[in-house]
Amino acid sequence: MDLPETQESIQKKIEETRESLRSEYDPESSGRYDIADVRRLREDDGFVSRYLEGKHHVVGDAVKVIDESLRWRKELGVNDITESGLQRAFLEAGMHYFRGYDKEGHKLFWFRVKIQSKDGRTLRDKKRYLVFWLERLSRQEPGALLTAVFDMSESGLGNVTAASYFLFTPYRRLPLTSCLHHIDACLWFLIHCFQVYYPCLLAKILIFELPWIMTAAWKMVKTWLGPDAVDKLQFVTRADVQTHVAADHLPAHMGGTDAFEYSYPPLPEDHFQAAMSESPSQGGTVHTEDTGERESRPRKVCLAEEGGVKPARRPTSTFKGSLLRLSPAVELIFGQSDGDRRCVIVLDNVTKNPVAYKVRTTAPDKYRVKPSSGSLEPGAGVDILVSLHGGSQASPQDRFLLMAAEMEAAVAGDNQDLAQLWKEIPKDKVMEHRLQCKVLPDVNPAHVQTGNLANGTAGQQDTHTMLLKLLAGTMRLEQKVDRCLWTEKVLIVLVTVLAAILSRYLYTQHTGLWLFL
């Protein structure tokens, strides 16, 4: 079994990848890539690391994928895509948007197939519109995963054809002359896009209410896709979609309770995150270093501590929203040592009115948040302690949601009135900001041995990875067994038919011979 990559080995491969790209393609002076991507390639370790992870840390494979991806980004002008540069009709229709999370904490990326229309004249614009959303997530939440939801309810074959047409071109392997080919084309392009252009971004694809006419044809389509692609696909209906997504993140026609109706402007989830670096005016600003401004102004800080032990890890980045300045800006960092099992979220009221706040998490059984809610007077602040409970381990899939709302002075400090405030305040009056978790590797990683796994001494992460691989292999084996059983049934039918024909033939010959005698 392959040993897990350490932070040191990953960093070494990142530098090796950069050196290989310099020697083979000369990114700095060849003009092969966009200058912004060359800068990210040179300065952003995470940018390179995602390509390495997508190719299982094989440097040669990662170099090829990076070259293909960066050439594609320059050809499409990805770094120049802005909201103002998109066709307003696409934004108003809402063919794609982010909304809600699945049960594993992955952001939901919606494809509304019923409003797709085939129009080759706007092919490039549609592709740029799709990339606009993917680029937003990859920049706003580095390392986050998405679940793509194909909502095919109320859609006809023409809608499916249109969706496949603009998503797949120019990667088609088969002519776009049937709906069957379009379904394969659409899914194949998406998976290719996530494997090459946005590696480590896709968690899975949910296809809701596949048209009945395509159900039988899908068995043939599966043979065209590789096992990795098939493993990411899930076909769901109203009856079982909630095994993947909770009801409060599903619209009514899927059996959910989310009353959200897409409208433009503003874009959905604009209030969740800091804006992209190219558009700092959309929602807030992120500072990667603590400037000390927070400490220089008068402030009342309520420091939440656990057993009198001050948390070891303090935030080093800041996000300034409409109501609060908070640190860290993007992620809470957890490690293996006792000091790294606690983090601090620092909040400061930047308004002239009292502000109520509340912190929620997708894993309430694993984390203790103190205080989890309260209010801040103008100019006041609070340090919120987030600690892992018991023997729980942090996961990159864990998320935290910080909510803030302005309040009247008479309500501040009254817990009962605060609870009523959160029930009554309109959602468009609430500032929301999401934080993700980052898990640091062990500084002295143990070498994993097969015998250790048998004795249960391997780390949880290695065991989880092994179980996932075992599960994927089992699923592929089941698929092969199903195909063998299907082939066996066909052969039995053929043999039965041939036996019947032969028996009829022998009977006819025997009867004819008896009559002759």
Side-chain angles (χ1 to χ4, degrees):
M1 187 180 69
D2 294 336
L3 295 177
E5 296 285 343
T6 65
Q7 187 64 34
E8 291 77 10
S9 65
I10 291 175
Q11 186 63 41
K12 182 178 179 180
K13 289 187 176 182
I14 290 174
E15 295 303 327
E16 186 179 345
T17 301
R18 286 172 172 153
E19 182 59 35
S20 297
L21 284 164
R22 279 193 291 267
S23 61
E24 292 186 36
Y25 303 111
D26 189 17
E28 299 288 345
S29 57
S30 65
R32 190 179 182 89
Y33 313 132
D34 187 287
I35 187 62
D37 290 330
V38 173
R39 184 167 56 252
R40 291 182 69 189
L41 187 64
R42 181 177 61 247
E43 301 173 356
D44 188 348
D45 288 349
F47 183 67
V48 181
S49 178
R50 285 189 288 274
Y51 287 102
L52 274 169
E53 184 178 349
K55 287 302 178 181
H56 308 290
H57 296 95
V58 178
V59 173
D61 294 343
V63 168
K64 294 178 182 178
V65 169
I66 292 175
D67 175 62
E68 179 181 348
S69 177
L70 267 57
R71 285 189 290 111
W72 168 81
R73 290 174 64 87
K74 181 177 181 180
E75 178 185 353
L76 194 64
V78 172
N79 292 312
D80 298 326
I81 299 176
T82 61
E83 179 183 336
S84 60
L86 299 174
Q87 286 198 22
R88 187 179 177 88
F90 295 161
L91 293 166
E92 292 176 345
M95 293 183 292
H96 316 303
Y97 58 85
F98 286 109
R99 172 71 179 179
Y101 292 80
D102 66 11
K103 290 188 174 180
E104 297 176 356
H106 305 137
K107 189 182 287 286
L108 298 178
F109 186 36
W110 294 87
F111 287 71
R112 302 172 69 192
V113 179
K114 71 177 183 179
I115 63 175
Q116 300 284 351
S117 61
K118 182 176 178 180
D119 185 356
R121 294 173 299 175
T122 59
L123 174 60
R124 181 179 173 85
D125 292 330
K126 289 180 178 179
K127 294 177 72 174
R128 287 170 60 87
Y129 175 67
L130 172 64
V131 170
F132 166 76
W133 287 102
L134 299 180
E135 194 73 7
R136 279 167 62 90
L137 180 64
S138 65
R139 289 180 180 270
Q140 292 176 3
E141 300 187 39
L145 300 178
L146 66 82
T147 291
V149 183
F150 272 73
D151 182 4
M152 305 186 74
S153 58
E154 303 179 13
S155 61
L157 297 182
N159 301 124
V160 175
T161 298
S164 303
Y165 178 74
F166 87 85
L167 283 174
F168 181 56
T169 307
Y171 300 97
R172 56 178 175 268
R173 295 165 294 169
L174 299 171
L176 300 178
T177 56
S178 69
C179 185
L180 173 62
H181 292 168
H182 290 306
I183 283 286
D184 169 58
C186 180
L187 297 178
W188 186 88
F189 172 79
L190 277 179
I191 294 170
H192 178 80
C193 181
F194 288 122
Q195 285 178 338
V196 179
Y197 307 142
Y198 295 93
C200 304
L201 186 63
L202 177 67
K204 56 188 171 183
I205 298 175
L206 301 180
I207 300 181
F208 180 77
E209 299 289 2
L210 182 71
W212 66 268
I213 195 171
M214 295 302 304
T215 303
W218 169 245
K219 295 181 179 179
M220 183 183 301
V221 173
K222 283 203 302 185
T223 64
W224 300 343
L225 303 177
D228 293 337
V230 172
D231 291 344
K232 290 182 180 290
L233 295 173
Q234 298 288 337
F235 289 84
V236 295
T237 63
R238 185 185 174 100
D240 60 5
V241 65
Q242 291 191 31
T243 60
H244 301 279
V245 184
D248 56 346
H249 290 294
L250 291 173
H253 72 274
M254 290 186 176
T257 59
D258 186 5
F260 170 78
E261 292 289 340
Y262 180 91
S263 63
Y264 177 79
L267 292 176
E269 304 255 338
D270 265 354
H271 53 293
F272 284 167
Q273 297 293 335
M276 294 169 57
S277 58
E278 288 80 3
S279 306
S281 61
Q282 299 177 19
T285 57
V286 174
H287 306 279
T288 57
E289 296 183 359
D290 194 343
T291 61
E293 178 187 354
R294 184 177 61 251
E295 300 296 338
S296 64
R297 63 187 181 85
R299 59 191 300 269
K300 177 182 177 182
V301 178
C302 304
L303 180 62
E305 298 184 355
E306 188 176 84
V309 180
K310 204 169 185 178
R313 185 170 295 279
R314 303 287 297 184
T316 58
S317 60
T318 302
F319 168 83
K320 185 175 181 181
S322 57
L323 303 179
L324 295 175
R325 178 189 292 109
L326 63 96
S327 299
V330 178
E331 57 191 11
L332 295 173
I333 303 176
F334 293 91
Q336 305 298 324
S337 65
D338 292 339
D340 286 336
R341 291 176 60 82
R342 295 186 294 270
C343 294
V344 174
I345 301 176
V346 181
L347 305 182
D348 291 293
N349 185 351
V350 297
T351 71
K352 298 180 179 180
N353 300 309
V355 171
Y357 67 88
K358 180 166 58 174
V359 181
R360 301 173 63 184
T361 176
T362 57
D365 295 336
K366 295 167 58 174
Y367 299 94
R368 295 293 179 263
V369 182
K370 297 181 181 180
S372 60
S373 62
S375 62
L376 293 173
E377 295 294 333
V382 63
D383 288 8
I384 300 175
L385 177 64
V386 180
S387 58
L388 284 163
H389 178 63
S392 300
Q393 298 294 324
S395 169
Q397 278 71 46
D398 297 339
R399 297 287 189 272
F400 287 83
L401 172 65
L402 186 134
M403 307 170 64
E406 281 189 298
M407 53 193 300
E408 297 179 0
V411 180
D414 191 324
N415 291 334
Q416 183 176 1
D417 289 340
L418 282 177
Q420 190 65 26
L421 170 72
W422 290 115
K423 291 180 181 180
E424 297 177 352
I425 191 167
K427 190 169 183 178
D428 59 359
K429 300 294 184 181
V430 178
M431 168 191 160
E432 294 186 345
H433 187 79
R434 296 189 185 274
L435 297 172
Q436 63 190 56
C437 289
K438 178 180 180 180
V439 182
L440 296 176
D442 193 351
V443 293
N444 294 313
H447 294 288
V448 181
Q449 302 293 335
T450 305
N452 290 341
L453 288 175
N455 295 326
T457 58
Q460 289 186 353
Q461 185 65 31
D462 300 318
T463 304
H464 180 65
T465 302
M466 185 184 70
L467 290 175
L468 288 178
K469 291 181 178 179
L470 181 62
L471 178 61
T474 302
M475 293 178 63
R476 287 193 290 268
L477 182 60
E478 289 178 353
Q479 293 169 1
K480 292 180 180 179
V481 171
D482 289 341
R483 286 196 291 268
C484 290
L485 291 175
W486 182 84
T487 304
E488 182 182 6
K489 291 178 181 179
V490 172
L491 290 175
I492 291 174
V493 171
L494 291 176
V495 170
T496 303
V497 172
L498 290 174
I501 294 173
L502 181 59
S503 298
R504 178 67 177 174
Y505 173 77
L506 293 176
Y507 173 78
T508 303
Q509 293 295 323
H510 176 73
T511 304
L513 181 61
W514 181 79
L515 292 174
F516 178 78
L517 295 174

